[in-house]
Amino acid sequence: MNWLYLTAARAEAGTPPPGLRDAQDSASTAASWVEENWQGWLAAGLRIVLVVVIAVVLRYLVRRALTKLITRMNRRSEAAESGNALRGLIVNRERRRQRSEAIGSILRSLASFVILGTAALTVLSGLGINLAPLLASAGVAGVALGFGARNLVTDLLTGMFILLEDQYGVGDRVDVGEAEGTVLEIGLRVTQLRGESGEIWYVRNGEIKRVGNLSQGWSTAEIDVQVRAEEDFEKVRSAITAAGVEMSAESPWDERLWEPVEVLGLDEVTLESMIIRVSVRTMPGQAGSVGRELRFRIKRALDRAGVEIVDEHSLTIERHRASAESGNEEIPF
């Protein structure tokens, strides 16, 4: 009865009950707190939105600029190569495309990582988060990852420099020490080679200490022609030169021979034979096929000229046959 009496009295006096009064006090406090801090919240929110927008726009512009730069570099390279007919024969579009895509992917990923990482740290700092422990933890994790995956890091860095320096590309024939073959694909971690017998070699880029590129610039096919010492050198040289001229006038050898066949001279002279060195500059990677065809044509030209090609084995047999006829020795075979 007393409680009812007090409540009725407060209602008549215009005083609210205790529960309602506490609610009014809490609402007033909250409203005043929001009124005092809403400007800071709005400013922080606007800063975060501005940072995100700037990061997204900057990332888009940088990636687009990198793409245009790489495309322009490829066009200039194509224009320079198309001005030379011989170099235009060895243009490998797949090699250029793969190298450009790899370099562009690396640069775009690096730009995105830097821009978005910086934006994320700025947003966290704007939210009042202490970045010192986070950066320290990231540094420790990076050191641990570097020690645990140092081989992987070495492979990736080596692959990047192989692509950036254009040491070799798709279609090149290379010797990387442990394996030799034609390059099928270049990755940031592994290079794939096709061997002579058709096998595929997977070579880690970090294990490549030296590279012999057999497809860059030009190749040289060298042939040694051994004939008897009593043969007329001028006659032999004329026959070899004629074979080279005939070969350079026929397809596809007219494209693979970059210079006329050259008779360098006598490489070795003995009482029984003389060795004539023949050389020709060829398209990269075509020295083997050009050398085989040139040997065939030289053999045919010397046969027409009545010049016999000899070797050490046949000369040895002739010496033993002569000795056997004079001293009844057995002829070894």
Side-chain angles (χ1 to χ4, degrees):
M1 293 295 293
N2 294 331
W3 178 80
L4 293 175
Y5 175 76
L6 292 175
T7 303
R10 288 176 179 174
E12 293 177 357
T15 304
L20 184 58
R21 185 176 59 194
D22 293 340
Q24 290 178 348
D25 293 341
S26 300
S28 300
T29 304
S32 60
W33 181 71
V34 170
E35 185 178 0
E36 292 175 357
N37 294 279
W38 74 270
Q39 294 182 349
W41 294 345
L42 180 61
L46 291 177
R47 282 197 299 269
I48 292 175
V49 172
L50 182 61
V51 169
V52 172
V53 171
I54 292 176
V56 172
V57 174
L58 184 61
R59 176 177 177 269
Y60 170 77
L61 294 177
V62 171
R63 289 171 64 91
R64 184 176 180 182
L66 290 174
T67 301
K68 288 186 176 181
L69 177 62
I70 294 174
T71 303
R72 188 179 298 110
M73 291 174 59
N74 286 336
R75 290 176 180 174
R76 290 178 180 176
S77 177
E78 291 178 0
E81 290 172 343
S82 62
N84 189 321
L86 292 178
R87 292 183 63 189
L89 295 173
I90 60 172
V91 173
N92 193 322
R93 295 184 180 274
E94 177 62 22
R95 167 180 175 170
R96 189 189 304 111
R97 183 194 64 80
Q98 189 180 47
R99 177 170 176 261
S100 300
E101 287 184 356
I103 295 175
S105 176
I106 294 171
L107 294 178
R108 286 190 292 267
S109 299
L110 182 61
S112 298
F113 176 78
V114 172
I115 294 173
L116 297 181
T118 304
L121 294 177
T122 304
V123 170
L124 292 177
S125 177
L127 293 175
I129 299 175
N130 188 7
L131 299 179
L134 180 63
L135 295 177
S137 301
V140 173
V143 172
L145 181 62
F147 278 108
R150 56 185 181 275
N151 290 332
L152 178 61
V153 174
T154 302
D155 295 339
L156 295 178
L157 291 177
T158 305
M160 290 175 56
F161 281 107
I162 288 175
L163 291 170
L164 291 174
E165 297 173 0
D166 196 19
Q167 297 179 11
Y168 53 83
V170 174
D172 284 355
R173 181 164 185 80
V174 298
D175 180 1
V176 295
E178 297 296 331
E180 179 179 349
T182 303
V183 179
L184 295 180
E185 183 179 350
I186 305 175
L188 290 180
R189 193 181 69 86
V190 174
T191 295
Q192 297 183 24
L193 303 178
R194 173 78 69 178
E196 287 285 349
S197 302
E199 70 277 10
I200 297 180
W201 296 95
Y202 294 87
V203 184
R204 285 177 43 207
N205 294 329
E207 295 180 349
I208 300 176
K209 306 301 180 183
R210 62 163 179 84
V211 178
N213 195 326
L214 308 179
S215 301
Q216 281 186 346
W218 44 266
S219 298
T220 301
E222 292 187 347
I223 301 173
D224 290 335
V225 181
Q226 187 172 3
V227 298
R228 298 185 184 277
E230 59 268 16
E231 297 288 353
D232 185 1
F233 176 75
E234 292 297 332
K235 180 180 179 181
V236 175
R237 182 164 63 177
S238 299
I240 295 174
T241 303
V245 172
E246 177 186 1
M247 180 177 175
S248 61
E250 297 180 6
S251 178
W253 311 110
D254 55 346
E255 297 180 352
R256 300 181 184 179
L257 294 179
W258 283 15
E259 290 184 358
V261 176
E262 182 180 4
V263 180
L264 301 179
L266 293 175
D267 193 61
E268 183 179 344
V269 180
T270 64
L271 294 175
E272 297 176 326
S273 67
M274 57 182 177
I275 300 178
I276 303 171
R277 176 63 59 87
V278 181
S279 176
V280 60
R281 183 171 295 186
T282 72
M283 180 185 297
Q286 299 296 325
S289 60
V290 169
R292 289 188 289 270
E293 179 68 18
L294 185 57
R295 287 188 186 92
F296 167 74
R297 293 177 180 268
I298 289 175
K299 175 64 170 62
R300 188 172 60 182
L302 292 179
D303 289 343
R304 289 197 299 260
V307 177
E308 181 183 0
I309 296 179
V310 297
D311 57 11
E312 293 299 329
H313 182 67
S314 62
L315 293 175
T316 300
I317 292 177
E318 289 183 1
R319 286 196 297 269
H320 284 283
R321 181 180 288 113
S323 299
E325 292 176 354
S326 60
N328 296 324
E329 294 183 3
E330 184 180 356
I331 302 176
F333 290 94

